[in-house]
Amino acid sequence: MNTDTTEAIVFTLLFATVAGLGFAAARWRRPDTMDDIDEWGLGGRRLGSWMTWFLIGGDLYTAYTFVAIPALVFNVGAAGFFSLPDLAIVYPMVYLVLVRLWSVSYAKGYVTTADFVRGRFGSRTLALLVAITGILATLPYIALQLLCIEAVLKTMGVDGQWPVVLAFVVLAGFTYRSGLRGPTVIAIVKDTLVYLVIIAAVLYIPFKLGGWGDIFDTAGKKFSGESSGGVLLASNNQLNYASLALGSALGLFLFPHTSTGALAARSRNVVKRNMAALPVYSLIVGFIALLGFMAVAAGVTPLMRDNGKPDNNTVVPLLFQQVFPHWFTGIAFAAIAVAALVPASVMSIGAANTFTRNIYMEYVRPGADKAHEARVSKVASLLVKFGALVCTLLLDPQFSTDFQLIGNVIIMQTLPAVALGLFVRWFHRGGLIAGWIAGMGSGLWMLYEIPNPATGHAHFGGSAFPLSKIGLSTGMPVYAGMLALLVNLVVAIAATVVCRAAGLPDGVDTTRPTDYLADLPEPAHGPVADTLRTPAEPVAAAVAEGPASEEQHR
Amino acid sequence: MTQNRTATRTHRSDRSPWNWLLLVAAVMPLLTFVYNSDRPRLAGIPFFYWFQLALVVFASLCATCVYLMTGRGGPNREH
C-alpha cells in the first residue's frame, strides 16, 4: 500500500490539531490548581449534561467499536453484532445503579469504585482487590486502542514502530498535563469527526455497492461457503451471543474509566439524562458494525501482519481507502485515531486515580497531601500506558475484540461488591473476598483453556468457553465472564453464610441509606458543593477539604 | 446542613413502578430467538439487524420516559 500524500496531510493536520487541543484543555474552566485529584482526575466534578454526554460517549465508544467490531463482523457475520444488544441493554440496566453510585460518591467524596467498597464494607483488603481488578482489566482495553491506531497507520503505508510511539507520547503528554479536561475537550472533536465519517459511510457506501440488499446477499454467499459464520446466528451460537451482550453490559460501567466519566457529572439529573441520550451513540455503533458486511461486499482483503496472519483491524481502514476520495479517507483515519486517543486517555486516568487512592494513599504513603496525591496520579497514568504496551506483546487473541472481552471477564468479578453493594448490604466482606477469588480464578482458568484456532496457540485465544469442557454434552459455547460471575456469586453467598455462622466480625458500613439519594441542594458549583459534603469520614475528608486549603499544601 | 438534605430527600426515592420499563428494555435484546431471522427486510436490511437497531431506540425512549416520570423532582432541577 502506497502512502497517499493528500490522505497523509489531512490526517496529520487533524491529528496535530487535536493533540494541540488536548494540551490546551488544561486552561478550559481553569481551576485554581491542577494539583488536586478532583480537578485533575474528575475535571472538578462540574460537567453538565452535554459535556458528560461527550465524555462518556467518548470513552465508551472507542476504536474498539470502530475497528475491532466491524472486523469481527467481517469474519464471522452476525455473531460479531453482539455489541449492539450490549449497548442497547446497558443504559436501562445501569440507570438506577449509576445514579446511586453518583450520589454516594458525591456525599462521601469518593473518586473510585474501590473508595465506595472501602466505605460500604469496611474492608481495606476488598477495596484493594477491587482496585487491582480495575487496573488489570483496563490494561488490555488500552492496548486495544494502540493496536487500532497501528492498523490505521499501517493502512496508510506507514510501517515501523515510531508512529505508534509518537501517538503514544502525545497521548501520555496531554493526559499528564490536562487530566480529564484533555479527553473531555477532544471528545467533542472526536464525535464530530466520527459522526461525519459514519453518516457519510452509511449513506455513500451502500449506494456505491448497489444497496443494502445486495450487501447482505453477497455477504450471505461468502459465509455459506465457510464452515462458520453467517448473516444470521447459528443455533448453537445464540447462547454465546446473548451471554456476550449481557456480560459486556454488566462489566461496562464497572471499569474505572466509565465510572470516572459518570462521577464527573454535576448532578443526579445529568447522569439520568445521559442514560437516555447515550443510546444515540449505540445506533451509530450498529451502523459501524455493518461496515464489516460492506467490506465483505466490497471485496476487501486485510493486510498481512509480520507473522503472515491477516491483520483484521485493517479491514475498515482499507474499506474507507477503497471507496472514499483521498482527502476524506484522511479525515476518516484521523477520526479513528482520535477515537482511540480519547478513551485511552480516560482509561489511564481512571486506572491512575484508582492506583493513587486505593493503593498508594492506602498502603504506601497514608496522609500524603493533595498535591502529592495528584502528582502520583499523573505519574501512574504514564505507568498504566506502559503496562498496556506490554499487554500488546503478551496477548495474541484471534480477534482484537477479545482484548476488551478478556478485560471484561476480569472487571465483572467486582460486580457483587460494587453493583450489588449499592443496593444491598447483605454480603459479608469475607464472602465477597472469597467470591472474588473464586470468580477470578475460574475466569482466568477458562480464558487459559480457550485456544486460538487461527494461530494454533492453545491458550488465551478468545472469550467463548465451550461448555463441553466442563462435562456438559453440548456444542454450545458461552461467554467465560458470565460463568465466572456465576461462580463468584455462588461462592460469595455460601461464604457469607459461613462467615455469619462462624461469627467472623464484619466491616462497618460508613454510608447511610440517604447517601444513596444525595444530590445538589440547588444548582451549585464547585466550592459551594464542597462545603456541603459530610466531612465526618476519613475518605471524605481528603476531598472535602475544598479548594481553600490547597494553597498551604503547595 | 443535614436538615437541608433531609428536606430534599423526603419527597425523593429511587423506587417507582416506572422502573419496570427499564427491565423490559434491558431484557428484550437478549431474546435472540425473537429476532434471529432474515425477513421481513427493511430497505434491504435483514430483520436481525434493523430490529436490534430499533431496540436501541426503544431503550432510549424507556430511559427518557422513566426520567420524565420520576427523575426531575426536587429543588435541584437544571436547565
Side-chain angles (χ1 to χ4, degrees):
Chain A
M1 205 63 50
N2 294 318
T3 310
D4 178 86
T5 324
T6 321
E7 188 182 292
I9 291 175
V10 173
F11 174 85
T12 314
L13 276 180
L14 274 174
F15 192 83
T17 311
V18 167
L21 262 182
F23 280 99
R27 294 164 175 277
W28 177 63
R29 292 190 187 169
R30 194 174 198 167
D32 299 333
T33 173
M34 221 31 157
D35 291 334
D36 178 349
I37 200 165
D38 251 23
E39 288 299 341
W40 183 82
L42 286 182
R45 291 192 206 243
R46 275 196 296 260
L47 302 185
S49 297
W50 282 101
M51 294 313 289
T52 306
W53 188 72
F54 278 121
L55 178 64
I56 300 187
D59 75 7
L60 282 188
Y61 301 92
T62 69
Y64 161 73
T65 40
F66 298 114
V67 170
I69 291 287
L72 187 63
V73 170
F74 175 84
N75 277 284
V76 304
F81 207 62
F82 76 88
S83 71
L84 189 69
D86 160 17
L87 293 167
I89 65 178
V90 69
Y91 302 109
M93 204 165 68
V94 303
Y95 184 99
L96 296 170
V97 184
L98 275 189
V99 172
R100 286 175 77 86
L101 180 64
W102 186 91
S103 283
V104 73
S105 303
Y106 170 72
K108 294 289 186 180
Y110 299 148
V111 176
T112 66
T113 50
D115 285 347
F116 161 70
V117 168
R118 171 125 157 64
R120 177 68 146 166
F121 294 98
S123 167
R124 293 175 72 194
T125 317
L126 188 58
L128 178 68
L129 290 179
V130 170
I132 293 175
T133 315
I135 296 168
L136 273 184
T138 306
L139 295 183
Y141 211 169
I142 301 178
L144 176 57
Q145 310 303 323
L146 295 174
L147 288 179
C148 290
I149 296 188
E150 191 186 2
V152 166
L153 292 170
K154 192 192 273 183
T155 311
M156 286 171 63
V158 185
D159 281 322
Q161 290 299 312
W162 67 266
V164 179
V165 172
L166 185 68
F168 179 80
V169 169
V170 167
L171 167 69
F174 80 72
T175 307
Y176 185 91
R177 181 177 148 82
S178 305
L180 198 63
R181 286 176 167 78
T184 308
V185 169
I186 295 186
I188 301 173
V189 185
K190 176 211 137 180
D191 287 345
T192 312
L193 285 175
V194 164
Y195 281 124
L196 181 72
V197 170
I198 298 308
I199 290 169
V202 167
L203 294 178
Y204 180 67
I205 301 179
F207 165 75
K208 215 176 167 184
L209 295 174
W212 287 105
D214 278 8
I215 290 173
F216 280 101
D217 291 339
T218 315
K221 283 197 197 90
K222 180 219 166 196
F223 286 119
S224 63
E226 293 174 5
S227 56
S228 64
V231 175
L232 294 178
L233 293 174
S235 57
N236 68 352
N237 208 13
Q238 295 201 21
L239 178 64
N240 190 42
Y241 186 84
S243 67
L244 264 180
L246 180 60
S248 302
L250 286 174
L252 197 53
F253 272 92
L254 294 169
F255 278 101
H257 67 279
T258 41
S259 46
T260 294
L263 293 189
R266 194 200 304 154
S267 71
R268 275 168 79 93
N269 279 348
V270 168
V271 177
K272 288 181 181 174
R273 250 177 268 154
N274 268 281
M275 293 299 109
L278 280 164
V280 176
Y281 283 100
S282 308
L283 270 186
I284 294 287
V285 170
F287 284 110
I288 292 171
L290 295 181
L291 288 175
F293 289 122
M294 298 182 205
V296 173
V300 168
T301 319
L303 297 178
M304 290 296 151
R305 286 200 284 188
D306 297 338
N307 60 9
K309 307 281 181 199
D311 184 349
N312 288 310
N313 287 339
T314 57
V315 166
V316 167
L318 284 171
L319 174 69
F320 286 163
Q321 205 170 42
Q322 193 172 324
V323 296
F324 286 140
H326 292 308
W327 63 272
F328 198 78
T329 309
I331 295 181
F333 285 2
I336 296 176
V338 178
L341 282 189
V342 172
S345 177
V346 187
M347 284 172 201
S348 63
I349 291 171
N353 285 349
T354 302
F355 171 80
T356 311
R357 304 270 307 180
N358 308 108
I359 299 178
Y360 188 84
M361 299 283 285
E362 189 72 36
Y363 289 92
V364 183
R365 185 81 74 84
D369 63 34
K370 290 168 79 75
H372 190 89
E373 186 183 13
R375 209 159 47 234
V376 171
S377 249
K378 289 179 175 181
V379 175
S381 79
L382 298 179
L383 294 181
V384 165
K385 291 189 203 81
F386 280 107
L389 271 184
V390 174
C391 257
T392 59
L393 304 173
L394 286 181
L395 297 174
D396 182 29
Q398 184 179 5
F399 299 112
S400 48
T401 43
D402 286 321
F403 276 104
Q404 200 273 342
L405 295 174
I406 287 172
N408 203 64
V409 171
I410 298 174
I411 199 69
M412 279 172 80
Q413 306 316 317
T414 62
L415 183 136
V418 179
L420 297 185
L422 282 165
F423 291 91
V424 288
R425 181 58 179 77
W426 178 79
F427 288 104
H428 189 283
R429 58 181 174 181
L432 287 170
I433 292 171
W436 182 92
I437 293 170
M440 196 60 99
S442 58
L444 290 177
W445 173 76
M446 280 185 272
L447 291 174
Y448 180 78
E449 286 289 315
I450 298 169
N452 181 341
T455 58
H457 281 297
H459 307 295
F460 292 113
S463 64
F465 184 75
L467 287 174
S468 54
K469 286 217 182 197
I470 47 173
L472 297 175
S473 57
T474 165
M476 275 198 269
V478 68
Y479 180 43
M482 286 308 290
L483 282 181
L485 180 62
L486 203 64
V487 172
N488 184 333
L489 281 172
V490 169
V491 172
I493 291 170
T496 296
V497 173
V498 171
C499 286
R500 291 266 149 74
L504 291 179
D506 199 354
V508 179
D509 183 1
T510 58
T511 66
R512 291 163 304 178
T514 47
D515 290 336
Y516 296 87
L517 303 170
D519 202 353
L520 291 181
E522 53 201 278
H525 294 271
V528 185
D530 274 334
T531 59
L532 283 161
R533 288 205 188 104
T534 325
E537 278 72 29
V539 185
V543 176
E545 280 176 77
S549 59
E550 266 141 35
E551 288 306 314
Q552 64 214 37
H553 291 314
R554 298 189 75 190
Chain B
M1 178 182 84
T2 313
Q3 286 72 11
N4 190 346
R5 283 227 201 108
T6 316
T8 67
R9 76 175 76 102
T10 44
H11 57 269
R12 189 171 56 231
S13 157
D14 284 341
R15 291 176 200 279
S16 160
W18 289 99
N19 291 344
W20 289 104
L21 265 182
L22 298 173
L23 185 73
V24 175
V27 169
M28 282 291 286
L30 295 176
L31 310 176
T32 52
F33 55 87
V34 171
Y35 55 76
N36 193 24
S37 69
D38 188 58
R39 292 186 190 272
R41 285 193 174 195
L42 182 72
I45 302 177
F47 185 66
F48 180 82
Y49 300 93
W50 70 256
F51 184 70
Q52 290 188 76
L53 286 168
L55 285 178
V56 171
V57 179
F58 178 68
S60 178
L61 291 178
C62 286
T64 310
C65 194
V66 172
Y67 170 66
L68 291 177
M69 301 316 284
T70 68
R72 293 195 298 178
N76 54 309
R77 214 151 151 169
E78 279 187 305
H79 297 285

